[in-house]
Amino acid sequence: MSSAKPAFKRILLKLSGEALMGDDAFGINRVTIVRMAQEIAEINRMGVQVAVVIGGGNIFRGVAGGAVGMDRATADYMGMLATVMNSLALADALDKAGLTARVMSAIGIDQVVEPYVRPKALQYLEEGKVVVFAAGTGNPFFTTDTAAALRGAEIGAEMVLKATKVDGVYTADPKKDPLATRYSEISFDEAISRNLGIMDATAFALCRDQKLPIKVFSIIKNGALKRVVLGEDEGTLVYA
């Protein structure tokens, strides 16, 4: 176990599905997901209780052409199933990294994963297991960002860590504007007034109302997750 003292006891890690692709066009890059599992294992062994919500964009991207013109609710349910696939893949990688992972789904797939039951999820976290919340909120029209905010509030997480391919929130798109600078921290109200689009509006409002801070950082950077949980200046902190 690391001698460094983490800044948090319990966190909700929101992984974008795209972050699992590595350099691939879609799907799951095995090297990438193994590295992420190892980084999660490192902070878990430091004593941090970790829950995870994963998006499904990397899987759904492979069938996006066929979804054109599809009923929105149907497409959203397909997206939920994509998150279940990602959650199973991450749980497998976590198990191989020496952790015990439990996947809990918001929609009933009892032969594949457990149903989401809040007291059971809390028990798993207290036991040191990693809990992976699959299938979003279980409802169409809500994103996995909203699921992360909701589950984070339900389990009493101290922070939602939004892990993407970008190392924080910038004043402008850094790919288009070389003068764009990264915010070290920014308030919810300022982020809204500047229309920064950190999360979808429902998720952002829920985090603000619950005074649940968000840290946006790059999961692509080696060691970034550990630096975040140690309270170092990594990514962008969004606070109430």
Side-chain angles (χ1 to χ4, degrees):
M1 181 178 293
S2 172
S3 60
K5 183 176 176 57
F8 309 102
K9 177 184 178 183
R10 181 178 295 167
I11 58 116
L12 189 292
L13 177 63
K14 168 58 171 64
L15 284 172
S16 68
E18 287 77 6
L20 302 182
M21 297 190 304
D23 295 327
D24 298 339
F26 59 86
I28 300 169
N29 181 284
R30 187 65 191 173
V31 173
T32 299
I33 199 170
V34 167
R35 180 184 61 78
M36 289 180 184
Q38 290 171 343
E39 294 203 9
I40 293 171
E42 184 176 19
I43 66 169
N44 179 263
R45 289 170 183 140
M46 292 166 57
V48 181
Q49 297 175 9
V50 184
V52 185
V53 170
I54 312 180
N58 59 314
I59 301 295
F60 198 69
R61 182 176 295 187
V63 295
V68 173
M70 186 178 290
D71 178 77
R72 169 65 189 274
T74 299
D76 281 359
Y77 280 117
M78 290 173 65
M80 289 179 216
L81 294 175
T83 72
V84 175
M85 294 169 67
N86 281 339
S87 297
L88 287 169
L90 180 64
D92 178 78
L94 288 167
D95 287 338
K96 287 180 170 60
L99 298 184
T100 301
R102 292 287 183 266
V103 180
M104 307 187 85
S105 173
I107 57 177
I109 323 176
D110 294 356
Q111 290 174 299
V112 182
V113 294
E114 297 182 47
Y116 169 64
V117 179
R118 179 176 175 269
K120 194 69 174 177
L122 293 172
Q123 177 186 328
Y124 286 151
L125 290 170
E126 291 290 347
E127 291 171 351
K129 298 179 174 69
V130 176
V131 181
V132 186
F133 297 120
T137 66
N139 301 287
F141 307 106
F142 291 94
T143 69
T144 49
D145 277 352
T146 298
L150 176 62
R151 296 292 182 247
E154 285 185 297
I155 65 171
E158 296 163 82
M159 182 174 285
V160 171
L161 308 185
K162 184 175 171 63
T164 68
K165 289 186 174 183
V166 183
D167 66 344
V169 180
Y170 282 76
T171 54
D173 187 342
K175 294 181 180 179
K176 299 178 181 178
D177 185 352
L179 298 179
T181 57
R182 177 178 63 87
Y183 292 101
S184 176
E185 59 181 44
I186 189 170
S187 70
F188 280 100
D189 291 340
E190 186 178 357
I192 291 171
S193 68
R194 293 179 182 273
N195 195 30
L196 294 176
I198 296 168
M199 281 184 164
D200 73 78
T202 303
F204 206 69
L206 179 56
C207 286
R208 182 181 64 173
D209 292 347
Q210 296 299 315
K211 294 181 171 54
L212 179 59
I214 303 166
K215 173 76 84 166
V216 183
F217 74 104
S218 172
I219 195 66
I220 306 302
K221 292 174 62 178
N222 288 330
L225 178 58
K226 180 180 179 180
R227 291 192 291 274
V228 168
V229 301
L230 289 176
E232 298 180 12
D233 181 22
E234 182 70 47
T236 300
L237 173 67
V238 187
Y239 62 93

